[in-house]
Amino acid sequence: MEFFSSYTGPDFLLFYGVMLVTCVAAGLWISANLRPVGKRGEVEDLEEVAVLTGGADRLTVAVLSSLFANGSLREGARGKLNVRRREEAEGSAQRAVLARVGDFTPSEAQKSINAEAERVEVNLIQRGLIMDSSERLRMRFLSALPYAALFVIGLYRQQAGEAQGEPTDFLFALLVVTLVFGLIRFFTGTKRTVAGQQLVKSLEEEGSRLKRAPQANEAGFAVALFGTGVLVGTPWEPVHAARQAGFGADGGDVGDSSDGGDGGDSGCGGGGCGGCGG
């Protein structure tokens, strides 16, 4: 750590900013290249596609979309949905939704589907398309490790500068950014193995037309692959609206970005900390 004590304030801020960008790239590289290979395979139905692409959340909206498109569900009060008829169920997830009474949101429907989603996920884990819990935890730690190392270095420098009476506001702000990015990297990311990633990519390429113009009998599969955004502009858009109102934007990739700007006059002395006061 003594090495970093020789940096002036502006020098350390520049170093830290470069390292933060490097951490973002390293986290993405680790997530893309160090995940388990898994086993190549195929998916058998809409439920497996949805769980592979987005877990119980995606399975819920895929099932709701399929049922809405075939007339089993209709738009209810205050942007919710309700059951119109119960004869069209295909599979246990659809039967669980059609068993509901009264108006409901997608998040309420998901409570009925969670058990089925867990069963499908276990099956996909056994087939090597999704990581098991220990593999996921390992990937989380590896992806967040660069941020943790940088945070420790930055915290040491900030504490050293503060002890010398140096302003550390800018460095403290960068520490907060590092912590937030590290937490995002730890708590987000796909559960899929390399084989699972490749399978999803193949399915998306084969089903690219569904992103633009899904038919009624394709609505559920389109949502399973791409999310409820594909329903915008279609007769089944109420499912997308209910999804947005029910529990936020549909699942997708999370990207980290940061806008950096140079502060004004640093006012830091030659042996000062990496942070600069405002």
Side-chain angles (χ1 to χ4, degrees):
M1 291 292 188
E2 292 299 323
F3 172 77
F4 299 106
S5 299
S6 64
Y7 277 40
T8 64
D11 287 344
F12 189 80
L13 283 176
L14 177 60
F15 164 79
Y16 196 95
V18 171
M19 291 307 297
L20 182 56
V21 173
T22 302
C23 284
V24 173
L28 294 171
W29 185 90
I30 289 170
S31 178
N33 294 277
L34 298 186
R35 66 182 56 250
V37 175
K39 302 175 184 177
R40 296 186 63 179
E42 301 294 333
V43 283
E44 299 175 358
D45 53 30
L46 178 148
E47 294 184 0
E48 290 189 351
V49 172
V51 173
L52 183 62
T53 56
D57 185 3
R58 186 63 65 82
L59 175 59
T60 299
V61 290
V63 167
L64 294 179
S65 301
S66 181
L67 291 174
F68 195 93
N70 70 21
S72 297
L73 296 181
R74 61 187 172 190
E75 189 173 7
R78 298 184 300 279
K80 296 184 177 182
L81 303 170
N82 62 46
V83 177
R84 183 180 181 185
R85 60 173 188 262
R86 306 180 190 274
E87 311 83 47
E88 302 292 333
E90 296 179 3
S92 55
Q94 291 193 6
R95 285 193 293 271
V97 171
L98 294 182
R100 297 193 65 90
V101 177
D103 292 348
F104 57 87
T105 64
S107 58
E108 291 169 337
Q110 183 170 324
K111 296 176 183 177
S112 303
I113 289 177
N114 279 334
E116 177 64 12
E118 290 175 5
R119 182 194 67 77
V120 173
E121 182 173 295
V122 168
N123 184 279
L124 294 174
I125 289 172
Q126 293 172 344
R127 286 157 51 190
L129 296 174
I130 289 181
M131 293 182 283
D132 62 32
S133 57
S134 62
E135 291 170 332
R136 292 176 206 169
L137 187 61
R138 172 178 170 273
M139 280 300 305
R140 286 181 172 187
F141 276 114
L142 287 175
S143 297
L145 187 59
Y147 295 97
L150 183 61
F151 184 85
V152 170
I153 293 171
L155 184 62
Y156 167 82
R157 201 69 171 83
Q158 190 266 341
Q159 293 294 313
E162 194 171 68
Q164 298 177 29
E166 300 286 352
T168 61
D169 295 354
F170 288 172
L171 180 55
F172 182 80
L174 285 174
L175 286 171
V176 172
V177 171
T178 304
L179 180 62
V180 171
F181 280 13
L183 291 174
I184 289 173
R185 179 52 55 194
F186 185 83
F187 287 108
T188 61
T190 175
K191 301 176 180 179
R192 297 186 290 270
T193 61
V194 172
Q197 295 275 66
Q198 292 172 344
L199 177 56
V200 169
K201 182 178 180 181
S202 174
L203 289 171
E204 288 175 345
E205 290 174 351
E206 293 173 3
S208 59
R209 180 190 60 79
L210 301 179
K211 213 170 185 177
R212 300 184 298 273
Q215 302 300 311
N217 63 340
E218 301 170 325
F221 192 80
V223 171
L225 270 180
F226 302 111
T228 58
V230 298
L231 301 181
V232 175
T234 73
W236 320 293
E237 188 170 346
V239 176
H240 175 68
R243 170 69 173 75
Q244 297 291 93
F247 39 41
D250 203 1
D253 296 329
V254 177
D256 297 339
S257 63
S258 63
D259 295 324
D262 293 331
D265 183 13
S266 71
C268 293
C273 73
C276 302

